[in-house]
Amino acid sequence: MRILLFLGTNLAIILLASLTFRLLGFESILYNNGVDLNLNALLVFCALFGFGGSFISLLLSKKIAKWSTRAQVIEQPRNQSERWLLDTVARLADKAGIGMPEVAVFPAAEPNAFATGASRNAALVAVSAGLLENMNADEVEAVLGHEIGHVANGDMVTLALIQGVVNTFVMFLARVIGFFVDRVVLKNERGLGIGYWITTIVAEIVLAIGATAIVAWFSRRREFRADAAGAHLAGKAKMISALERLKRAQDVPSAMPESLVAFAISSGMRQGLRAMFSTHPPLEDRINALRNAP
């Protein structure tokens, strides 16, 4: 539950910024100052807003995750289970060399968990009620280790940097394509015509879909690293057991919002073209990777 929410927030910010610029005539001002022909200036402009949208998404990630999943942060443990959860996260965080994250539980029947946040020392780790009910203590510990691994590896910050680069080129290429269609195909010679606006919007959407596949590929690589971190922090046998438990639960329909699926430790099975946009490798591949690890 880490990537898709970030992507959705980021894309919404970029599209909203683009729409606002058009309504205010900002791009016409750029055109009148030669930015449409100055690729260096256009690239700087796109980088400013591309990275801006990415890091705004990063800064908002904890608040949006709490709101979307209705996660309740444990301020004071109300029972032994919550006390154990806080103590286990504290121990794993200390072992990983990061600050104590916020710990939360969100209402969902399927076993799942996520970690998010803009800083290694100010993160959020949340588990579903179903995970606490359906996994034993060793398996829950391994899942927590996996999520702590994401935080310790700096995955969200790295993702923000990658997404910033992707945003930049999506915005840049969309405007170059829009200008080409407007001037070369439609032969418009009076400012920025309707062909530019429509083509830019369509190109942004199409390129953003392709960019999502790139970010998803990155996410799949990071899942293997987080599994290795979970095995290091909690134990290899515990991590394998937790993944096997998740594999057996794959057929259970998920109650998690679609925008948060990629933030989870498990996102279900995807095949064919959908596999390109999956943020998680198949659980069988993850289990085999751990078993073959030294």
Side-chain angles (χ1 to χ4, degrees), residues 181-220:
V181 170
D182 193 49
R183 291 299 176 84
V184 177
V185 178
L186 300 180
K187 310 296 184 183
N188 176 52
E189 297 181 356
R190 297 182 179 180
L192 299 175
I194 189 66
Y196 173 84
W197 306 115
I198 294 177
T199 303
T200 300
I201 292 172
V202 173
E204 280 184 342
I205 294 173
V206 173
L207 291 171
I209 293 173
T212 299
I214 296 174
V215 178
W217 176 87
F218 162 78
S219 175
R220 291 195 295 271

Side-chain angles (χ1 to χ4, degrees), residues 106-242:
F106 59 96
E110 76 277 8
N112 226 323
F114 68 89
T116 191
S119 168
R120 296 171 76 250
N121 296 316
L124 167 71
V125 172
V127 299
S128 70
L131 182 135
L132 296 176
E133 293 171 1
N134 294 297
M135 285 190 172
N136 61 41
D138 286 347
E139 292 165 346
V140 174
E141 181 185 0
V143 170
L144 293 172
H146 172 99
E147 301 304 338
I148 293 291
H150 277 305
V151 177
N153 291 337
D155 285 351
M156 285 302 291
V157 175
T158 306
L159 173 66
L161 294 172
I162 291 175
Q163 188 64 57
V165 173
V166 169
N167 288 346
T168 297
F169 283 97
V170 166
M171 296 180 71
F172 177 78
L173 292 175
R175 282 153 181 77
V176 170
I177 293 170
F179 183 79
F180 177 83
V181 170
D182 193 49
R183 291 299 176 84
V184 177
V185 178
L186 300 180
K187 310 296 184 183
N188 176 52
E189 297 181 356
R190 297 182 179 180
L192 299 175
I194 189 66
Y196 173 84
W197 306 115
I198 294 177
T199 303
T200 300
I201 292 172
V202 173
E204 280 184 342
I205 294 173
V206 173
L207 291 171
I209 293 173
T212 299
I214 296 174
V215 178
W217 176 87
F218 162 78
S219 175
R220 291 195 295 271
R221 298 301 94 197
R222 304 300 280 191
E223 286 303 312
F224 287 113
R225 288 193 61 192
D227 286 341
H232 171 72
L233 294 171
K236 183 175 177 179
K238 295 178 184 179
M239 192 70 245
I240 291 174
S241 178

